Amino acid sequence: MKRYILLLYLTIIMRLWSIVNAQKKAMWVVRDALKDYNSIDQIIYTAKRANISDIFLQVRALGKVYYPSTLEPTVSIIKNNFDPLKIAIEKAHRNNIKIHAWLNIFYIWSGNNPPYDKRHCFNKFSNFILRNDNFPKYKELRKEGIEGFFLDPQNEDVKQYLYNLIKELIINYQVDGIHLDYF
């Protein structure tokens, strides 16, 4: 619980720091933009031209990550040594731009069927997904105004898993910050 509170505290501090430094510019880059080397070059080029100092790069969504991970499945573009997060960090830092890892935390799935990968947190924590009695279809959730499936933020195993995921990211990458979404 202390780790969870510390993580929340750090997130608040980072947000306050960004308010204090309002003269800085930032941009959010969604995961679909990380498809290849050229798209990453374009992101950095655009940021440099617009005097952007910070990029919030979405590196986790729907229970998959956009970097090699031992804890969670990676998206299909992670192959042949292509690591979009590593490449983006290296190119951004060479241009004095900071990279903040943007992670969707509790929102983990939006498909009609469960994901196939057994390592996916939907399958690992199927008992800790916020839902009705039976596995509802995604279309049924949307009719109720619910985006998809969410992990239970009160579950200790879920919290430890997410803590380990963020820890792995921080240990392996020189990110300049962590941005938690769907928290």
Side-chain angles (χ1 to χ4, degrees):
M1 185 63 179
K2 288 180 184 177
R3 293 179 196 158
Y4 190 69
I5 291 171
L6 176 62
L7 190 57
L8 182 59
Y9 177 75
L10 290 173
T11 303
I12 292 168
I13 293 294
M14 287 172 49
R15 178 66 183 129
L16 290 173
W17 181 258
S18 68
I19 292 169
V20 170
N21 290 304
Q23 73 276 11
K24 293 185 176 190
K25 292 182 184 178
M27 72 181 197
W28 278 254
V29 176
V30 295
R31 64 193 183 270
D32 298 336
L34 300 175
K35 57 187 171 200
D36 56 33
Y37 290 96
N38 291 335
S39 62
I40 295 170
D41 283 341
Q42 187 61 45
I43 292 165
I44 303 304
Y45 174 75
T46 301
K48 187 142 179 89
R49 277 191 69 195
N51 293 318
I52 299 290
S53 60
D54 296 77
I55 295 174
F56 292 83
L57 194 62
Q58 188 178 32
V59 295
R60 181 180 191 256
L62 299 174
K64 293 183 179 181
V65 292
Y66 285 71
Y67 56 89
S69 171
T70 61
L71 300 173
E72 218 162 57
T74 58
V75 296
S76 61
I77 62 170
I78 308 296
K79 56 187 170 193
N80 300 328
N81 295 320
F82 178 66
D83 183 345
L85 178 56
K86 179 182 177 188
I87 295 163
I89 290 170
E90 289 171 356
K91 291 179 183 232
H93 286 175
R94 280 196 301 262
N95 287 280
N96 296 316
I97 298 170
K98 295 179 180 176
I99 294 287
H100 303 260
W102 164 19
L103 298 95
N104 294 3
I105 295 296
F106 294 112
Y107 177 39
I108 59 158
W109 191 246
S110 64
N112 283 328
N113 298 308
Y116 296 110
D117 194 323
K118 293 192 185 314
R119 292 187 325 139
H120 194 284
C121 56
F122 186 100
N123 296 319
K124 282 184 184 180
F125 299 107
S126 60
N127 292 335
F128 306 121
I129 294 173
L130 301 175
R131 61 175 174 216
N132 295 334
D133 294 335
N134 297 320
F135 178 81
K137 295 292 182 187
Y138 176 62
K139 290 177 184 175
E140 293 169 14
L141 290 174
R142 294 298 290 177
K143 286 178 188 174
E144 295 179 29
I146 301 170
E147 274 182 90
F149 299 94
F150 291 77
L151 289 174
D152 181 356
Q154 295 184 61
N155 181 272
E156 291 301 320
D157 291 335
V158 168
K159 288 190 275 191
Q160 184 63 47
Y161 173 76
L162 294 171
Y163 172 81
N164 290 338
L165 186 68
I166 294 168
K167 181 179 170 186
E168 176 188 56
L169 177 67
I170 292 170
I171 288 170
N172 293 320
Y173 294 92
Q174 296 297 314
V175 294
D176 298 293
I178 302 288
H179 178 74
L180 304 177
D181 200 1
Y182 287 97
F183 193 79

